[in-house]
Amino acid sequence: MSMLLAVVAFGLMILAHELGHFLVAKASGIGVRAFAVGFGPPLWRSRRGGTEYRLNAFPLGGYVRLAGEDFDEEPGPDAFRSKGVWTRIAVVAAGPVMNVLLSVLLVATAAWAYGLPRRVTTVVATVRPGWPAAEAGLRPGDRIVAIDGVALPDGQTMVRTIHRSAGRALRLSVERSGRRFEVTVTPRLDPRLGVGITGITPAVERERLAPHRALLWGVQQTVRSMREMVIGLVRLVGSGDVLQELAGPVGAVRLLGDAAQVGFDSYLFMTAFLSVMIGLFNLLPLPALDGGRLAFLLVEAVRRRAVDPRREGYVHLVGFALLLLLVLALTYRDILRWVGERNF
């Protein structure tokens, strides 16, 4: 189920991105030859209005093929290269912009449908099978009132205490159906997070926002995420640890799967976060990305003369090959990490 939800999330992010290019191209009078989600052999295809719509087998990508993008084709009046430079900039930038708008919509939906967490309680919401809490006999609905004889004022204190106690036995005072008893639980170290985990999820008190407040909150949170990502990227570049911190498709799927296990609202928030990340990543001025294409178009706008399209095409082709190698390398590293954690 987690894998299916991850595929749906990626498909949604890709669909939003390519839909941005598609809608602005159509509105600008540019012919769209193909609109595809995914790569590889088609699972479904249909041709309407001069555009072939495709759903392909591998959902980790997508594309919009515009009229006139083939350099061997003589550009007609509906060709991408026949339009003004600012029109072309709008078409290219529309994909990342749609990823940002998708993030706003998803965050707002979560805030309206599920509410915002206001207070973590000491009540157990879920217990993961096979983890220390389940082995100790804890159940959903149990209230943890003390740890090692120290009363818990709130759920945050409970969570912090557990996280700091990996490998150390904790004596929990538990209330269930009006009676109190004690159990001993030893938090297990989570190698990814570096904290102690017992396998419980505490209940959270929430406040549901009205639609207009939820939308405003979605905008605020998306802007905050963008700012933090940019600051984080600058710091990583300065430290030289960019490649160590990057994750590939497997890592992203795991993040989505973990979020889905916590709750559908967490899944929506994680999808929104990744959508913003995809949008910002595509704006980096690197060949084969939207940011690389924008860089060439901005040079054209300043020089008032286009860069040789064949040379630009070769640059993007080399960039795509390098990007593919990077994705493969990150995927290989993600798989090694996953296998190592399972063996742990």
Side-chain angles (χ1 to χ4, degrees), residues 4-312:
L4 177 60
L5 288 174
V7 171
V8 170
F10 273 112
L12 183 61
M13 289 183 276
I14 295 164
L15 177 63
H17 185 94
E18 301 304 333
L19 191 61
H21 295 313
F22 174 84
L23 292 176
V24 177
K26 283 285 192 179
S28 303
I30 298 173
V32 180
R33 300 292 183 253
F35 178 93
V37 174
F39 292 108
L43 301 177
W44 171 87
R45 66 170 68 185
S46 176
R47 178 171 294 277
R48 296 176 186 175
T51 302
E52 182 185 52
Y53 299 89
R54 295 172 55 131
L55 178 62
N56 295 326
F58 306 109
L60 301 180
Y63 59 90
V64 169
R65 188 166 68 246
L66 304 177
E69 284 191 311
D70 186 348
F71 299 131
D72 295 327
E73 175 185 346
E74 188 67 27
D78 67 340
F80 177 75
R81 287 183 287 145
S82 298
K83 303 300 180 181
V85 64
W86 293 107
T87 297
R88 285 176 281 150
I89 287 175
V91 172
V92 174
V97 169
M98 281 292 284
N99 280 123
V100 174
L101 293 179
L102 175 62
S103 172
V104 172
L105 180 61
L106 291 174
V107 172
T109 299
W112 169 71
Y114 293 92
L116 303 181
R118 294 306 187 193
R119 190 174 77 91
V120 179
T121 74
T122 61
V123 176
V124 177
T126 63
V127 181
R128 293 176 62 179
W131 283 73
E135 294 171 352
L138 289 178
R139 304 175 188 171
D142 289 348
R143 181 183 297 276
I144 301 174
V145 296
I147 296 180
D148 290 336
V150 180
L152 294 173
D154 52 50
Q156 291 286 7
T157 302
M158 178 185 73
V159 172
R160 283 196 300 268
T161 302
I162 293 173
H163 283 179
R164 295 170 181 171
S165 304
R168 182 170 69 87
L170 300 177
R171 182 166 46 87
L172 308 184
S173 298
V174 183
E175 283 188 356
R176 178 189 297 167
S177 303
R179 67 184 185 91
R180 181 174 297 192
F181 58 94
E182 291 188 349
V183 297
T184 299
V185 177
T186 302
R188 186 186 305 170
L189 178 65
D190 186 308
R192 280 190 296 160
L193 301 178
V195 299
I197 299 292
T198 62
I200 66 169
T201 302
V204 178
E205 293 181 358
R206 298 176 177 275
E207 176 191 359
R208 291 181 59 182
L209 301 185
H212 66 284
R213 290 185 59 204
L215 186 60
L216 177 60
W217 195 79
V219 172
Q220 293 170 340
Q221 290 302 114
T222 299
V223 171
R224 180 178 302 172
S225 294
M226 293 172 64
R227 182 172 63 246
E228 292 175 353
M229 287 179 193
V230 171
I231 293 173
L233 179 61
V234 171
R235 288 176 179 171
L236 285 175
V237 171
S239 66
D241 293 333
V242 178
L243 294 179
Q244 293 298 320
E245 296 297 327
L246 285 177
V250 173
V253 167
R254 293 187 62 196
L255 287 174
L256 287 165
D258 291 345
Q261 289 182 354
V262 174
F264 197 73
D265 57 327
S266 297
Y267 168 76
L268 292 177
F269 282 125
M270 181 56 67
T271 304
F273 174 81
L274 292 176
S275 185
V276 170
M277 183 174 289
I278 288 174
L280 290 181
F281 179 75
N282 267 280
L283 286 176
L284 293 176
L286 300 175
L289 298 180
D290 290 332
R293 299 176 69 190
L294 286 172
F296 278 103
L297 289 171
L298 289 174
V299 168
E300 178 182 342
V302 173
R303 295 173 57 197
R304 299 180 183 275
R305 181 163 52 91
V307 178
D308 185 339
R310 293 185 181 276
R311 290 183 180 178
E312 180 184 345

